[in-house]
């Protein structure tokens, strides 16, 4: 009998964390490595938010809280959902957790039984399939195509749904592609869901505020009010407010589901950090002007990275609408050999050789379920990005 659980054998460790760890190890060993793997803004948490946390400590707000969040934060979330998304929720329909990650996990744990299927568009955020597996369900991967800028079409969604489908996980703007669905593109998907009343939608709106040019963010329950009763709208403060370490995420949805998620949280982490919750109240209720300032920087970096990658031999890189990632195709590099003598048969081969031979750490597309690609996070300095892209260009130019 194995000491470790059978469930554990179903999942793999996060490949994005593995890349960051390898890059850090190489750096520590004195190698000149630029890491483009980070999934977090390189900005500091805004001062007003830090001040709210310090005030919470000074006021002794350092005790256990209600399992799924303090009343003030739940109200701030309801106000945000009304203000930004036109969605009506009461505090009883809101759950706050230790990051968006825990919220998604709680929802899956609360609802999945053996045999239940969860439709996940690929390329996907690395954690979705493994969370589904941990919760005892079956991930069903619906592949989007490069021709459609890595966005799922109505036909592709329709084809993935079976009588066993419980959830459709939707993420726009996307990690890893940065692709954002327009109102019409999302409506095409919600029309499909309206024909399948047994399927619920888990929408991960984590990158809502990180959108560029004139792109307008939309979320499923807003585009199709008919889905309100079977939608869990997930969001958080990690990305927009540079608060990844504070660990606050939230969701709004039907009361029964929120209650089930609360039960799980009460028996696992008890509650999200009290101090972080007060910081999140300030993030949602306080000034929002730094989001636009940060977005200007992100947009400038996105444009530079897209241009420089498209200038690399064998790489094609679409311009995404949001997040801080690009997801170039490297179909034109497959079957070639590096100066170090390595044959590139997969995108993992490409990423490994790029790191070892030219000192740039990216995450290979296979980790996100769609190849041959790699993900670049441009949440790092302009200077780092420029040097890294020059190295990628040199790497590609030297392939034979
Ligand atoms: C698409 C997506 N959802 C959820 C999360 C989790 O965010 P949090 O830091 O709030 O747990 C991430 C973080 O990388 C993400 O990229």
């Amino acid at each position: 009998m194995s000491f470790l659980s059978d469930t554990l054998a179903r999942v793999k460790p996060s490949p994005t964390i593995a890349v960051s760890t390898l890059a850090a190890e190489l750096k520590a060993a004195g190698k000149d490595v630029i890491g483009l793997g980070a999934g977090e803004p390189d900005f500091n948490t805004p001062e007003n938010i830090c001040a709210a946390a310090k005030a919470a400590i000074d006021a002794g707000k350092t005790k256990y809280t209600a399992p799924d969040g303090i009343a003030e934060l739940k109200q701030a979330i309801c106000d945000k959902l009304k203000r930004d998304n036109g969605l009506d929720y009461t505090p009883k329909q809101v759950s706050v957790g230790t990051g968006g990650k825990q919220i998604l996990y709680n929802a899956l744990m609360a609802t999945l039984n053996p045999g239940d299927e969860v439709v996940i568009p690929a390329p996907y955020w690395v954690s979705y399939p493994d969370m589904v597996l941990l919760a005892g369900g079956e991930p069903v991967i619906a592949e989007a195509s490069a021709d459609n800028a890595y966005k799922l079409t109505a036909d592709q969604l329709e084809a993935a749904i079976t009588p066993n489908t419980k959830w459709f996980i939707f993420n726009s703007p996307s990690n890893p592609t940065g692709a954002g669905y327009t109102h019409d593109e999302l409506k095409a998907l919600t029309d499909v869901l309206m024909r399948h009343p047994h399927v619920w939608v888990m929408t991960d709106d984590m990158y809502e505020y990180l959108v560029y040019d004139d792109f307008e963010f939309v979320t499923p329950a807003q585009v199709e009010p008919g889905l309100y009763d079977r939608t869990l709208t997930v969001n958080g403060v990690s990305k927009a407010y540079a608060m990844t370490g504070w660990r606050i995420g939230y969701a709004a949805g039907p009361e029964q589901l929120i209650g089930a998620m609360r039960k799980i949280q009460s028996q696992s982490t008890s509650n999200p950090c009290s101090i972080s919750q007060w910081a999140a109240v300030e993030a949602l209720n306080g000034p929002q002007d730094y989001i636009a300032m940060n977005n200007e920087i992100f947009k400038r970096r996105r444009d530079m990275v897209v241009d420089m990658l498209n200038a690399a031999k064998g790489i094609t890189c679409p311009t995404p609408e949001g997040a801080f990632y690009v997801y170039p195709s490297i179909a034109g590099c497959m079957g070639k050999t590096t100066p170090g003598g390595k044959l590139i048969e997969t995108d993992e081969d490409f990423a490994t050789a790029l790191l070892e031979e030219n000192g740039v750490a990216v995450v290979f597309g296979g980790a996100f379920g769609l190849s041959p690609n790699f993900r670049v996070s441009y949440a790092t300095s302009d200077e780092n990005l420029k040097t890294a892209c020059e190295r990628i260009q040199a790497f590609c130019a030297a392939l034979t």
Side-chain angles (χ1 to χ4, degrees):
M1 192 179 72
S2 158
F3 177 65
L4 299 177
S5 74
D6 294 344
T7 305
L8 190 71
R10 283 160 62 88
V11 304
K12 58 183 183 322
S14 161
T16 43
I17 292 175
V19 169
S20 316
T21 311
L22 178 59
E25 277 170 14
L26 287 172
K27 256 190 207 169
K31 255 204 109 177
D32 172 19
V33 168
I34 301 176
L36 301 181
E40 60 184 350
D42 54 320
F43 311 125
N44 290 333
T45 306
E47 241 331 290
N48 62 309
I49 297 175
C50 297
K54 290 173 196 161
I57 295 175
D58 291 341
K61 293 170 173 167
T62 52
K63 305 281 177 20
Y64 291 131
T65 72
D68 57 0
I70 55 175
E72 289 81 351
L73 181 51
K74 288 187 173 190
Q75 188 57 53
I77 291 163
C78 293
D79 295 346
K80 179 260 170 237
L81 290 165
K82 182 69 184 165
R83 182 178 69 225
D84 297 345
N85 312 111
L87 295 173
D88 287 301
Y89 285 103
T90 65
K92 279 190 175 164
Q93 293 175 282
V94 172
S95 184
V96 183
T98 303
K101 203 172 212 173
Q102 193 197 12
I103 286 288
L104 293 160
Y105 185 68
N106 285 350
L108 294 168
M109 285 298 286
T111 52
L112 293 184
N113 290 312
D116 285 345
E117 295 174 359
V118 178
V119 175
I120 301 171
Y124 46 71
W125 179 44
V126 290
S127 294
Y128 298 140
D130 289 279
M131 280 187 185
V132 169
L133 289 167
L134 270 177
E138 299 300 329
V140 172
I141 307 302
E143 274 194 18
S145 82
D147 302 342
N148 198 39
Y150 304 110
K151 296 180 214 180
L152 201 69
T153 64
D155 287 347
Q156 287 163 336
L157 174 58
E158 183 77 58
I161 292 174
T162 75
N164 296 326
T165 308
K166 193 161 253 177
W167 286 104
F168 167 53
I169 298 187
F170 177 71
N171 174 221
S172 163
S174 145
N175 178 0
T177 64
Y181 288 66
T182 63
H183 180 282
D184 290 355
E185 287 165 345
L186 179 50
K187 183 74 171 61
L189 299 184
T190 60
D191 284 351
V192 173
L193 296 168
M194 288 306 284
R195 293 198 290 276
H196 298 279
H198 65 294
V199 180
W200 284 52
V201 194
M202 194 176 294
T203 176
D204 179 345
D205 298 352
M206 200 57 70
Y207 295 94
E208 165 175 11
Y209 295 128
L210 305 186
V211 293
Y212 315 117
D213 307 318
D214 294 326
F215 181 79
E216 278 187 32
F217 170 85
V218 278
T219 189
Q222 174 188 24
V223 165
E224 178 47 82
L227 287 175
Y228 178 87
D229 289 334
R230 50 185 168 110
T231 298
L232 186 70
T233 301
V234 180
N235 211 320
V237 295
S238 292
K239 314 285 174 171
Y241 303 97
M243 290 178 70
T244 44
W246 300 72
R247 312 306 303 127
I248 295 290
Y250 61 84
E255 229 180 288
Q256 194 194 8
L257 171 61
I258 294 295
M261 291 164 63
R262 178 168 54 242
K263 194 165 161 188
I264 288 176
Q265 190 151 289
S266 72
Q267 295 293 18
S268 53
T269 58
S270 283
N271 63 263
C273 166
S274 60
I275 301 154
S276 299
Q277 290 189 63
W278 285 103
V281 170
E282 174 61 18
L284 295 179
N285 288 347
Q288 306 286 311
D289 47 330
Y290 41 74
I291 295 179
M293 276 154 42
N294 291 349
N295 282 0
E296 247 178 65
I297 299 172
F298 278 143
K299 176 185 149 45
R300 188 183 67 224
R301 292 177 181 168
R302 178 203 65 177
D303 291 344
M304 177 179 77
V305 170
V306 167
D307 283 352
M308 288 188 78
L309 291 178
N310 276 322
K313 208 170 146 205
I315 294 188
T316 316
C317 185
T319 303
E321 290 82 6
F324 38 70
Y325 309 107
V326 295
Y327 198 67
S329 160
I330 48 170
C333 302
M334 291 296 109
K336 301 205 167 158
T337 305
T338 70
K342 186 153 181 195
L343 175 64
I344 297 184
E345 289 178 301
T346 64
D347 51 26
E348 189 168 3
D349 293 339
F350 180 96
T352 308
L354 179 64
L355 178 58
E356 286 171 353
E357 298 184 27
N358 289 48
V360 179
V362 297
V363 186
F364 62 96
F368 306 101
L370 201 117
S371 294
N373 290 69
F374 64 87
R375 186 192 77 173
V376 163
S377 161
Y378 53 85
T380 184
S381 71
D382 291 33
E383 196 189 339
N384 265 351
L385 287 169
K386 186 164 173 288
T387 311
C389 288
E390 283 165 359
R391 290 185 187 180
I392 294 171
Q393 287 175 348
F395 178 80
C396 292
L399 296 176
T400 49

